[in-house]
Amino acid sequence: MMKKIDLEDDVHTHWFGMNNYEINLALINKIIKIIYVSEPPFGDSYHKLYIDDIEFIGFVWGCDFLFPFHQQYIICSWMKELYDRKTIIINLKDLNYDVLPIHYETFRSHKNRLEFNSKLTGKIKIVDLNDLRKRFN
């Protein structure tokens, strides 16, 4: 069964886990599918990610997702291989991506910047919109 969700929000994080989801990103006219795969013996479920029916590499974790800056990007917990968890930023326009060097448990959008926080390491990372655009140009 697939839960269908329409999102017009580009500021708040949204939790998607333990199920299959089809997310209509109304601001950018994209369909995101998060398809349940399994659960490790520790922690959250992990899923395959599809962007307009194109399978994205690796797996996303069933936890918080953010679609900032008019839904131009997706930010979530990701792993290329089981179970090396990182945080990823994906440009939804061309599917380019940037993997942050550590996993940030929380992230949020505030005005023209992103704030990442790792409770485990105590590290905080700030990325403004202009820096983000430079990463993908």
Side-chain angles (χ1 to χ4, degrees):
M1 173 138 175
M2 181 91 60
K3 288 188 177 183
K4 294 188 176 192
I5 299 166
D6 292 324
L7 279 185
E8 295 184 13
D9 178 1
D10 68 342
V11 176
H12 298 95
T13 56
H14 301 274
W15 186 89
F16 301 114
M18 312 285 258
N19 212 328
N20 298 319
Y21 299 89
E22 180 177 292
I23 303 154
N24 175 27
L25 299 178
L27 300 178
I28 195 171
N29 195 29
K30 295 271 185 191
I31 299 292
I32 305 296
K33 291 181 183 170
I34 301 169
I35 307 299
Y36 176 87
V37 175
S38 186
E39 296 172 45
F42 53 89
D44 303 320
S45 56
Y46 60 93
H47 307 251
K48 287 303 297 176
L49 174 67
Y50 295 84
I51 302 168
D52 286 339
D53 290 324
I54 297 170
E55 183 176 346
F56 194 77
I57 61 171
F59 302 92
V60 294
W61 286 91
C63 55
D64 285 335
F65 289 76
L66 179 65
F67 306 94
F69 308 125
H70 303 290
Q71 299 178 339
Q72 294 179 58
Y73 303 92
I74 179 175
I75 300 171
C76 59
S77 295
W78 174 85
M79 62 183 166
K80 185 173 184 178
E81 299 172 351
L82 303 178
Y83 292 101
D84 186 21
R85 192 170 185 163
K86 303 283 186 185
T87 300
I88 192 169
I89 303 170
I90 304 168
N91 181 332
L92 291 173
K93 179 180 175 187
D94 56 20
L95 303 187
N96 285 338
Y97 62 94
D98 187 22
V99 179
L100 301 180
I102 66 170
H103 175 245
Y104 291 93
E105 296 90 359
T106 60
F107 36 84
R108 70 183 191 115
S109 178
H110 180 70
K111 297 188 181 179
N112 280 338
R113 69 182 193 177
L114 300 169
E115 299 173 7
F116 299 88
N117 188 339
S118 172
K119 295 174 187 169
L120 184 63
T121 64
K123 291 186 178 182
I124 295 172
K125 181 174 187 69
I126 306 293
V127 177
D128 73 29
L129 179 57
N130 290 329
D131 289 339
L132 190 60
R133 287 180 176 151
K134 287 177 189 175
R135 287 178 191 231
F136 293 106
N137 287 335

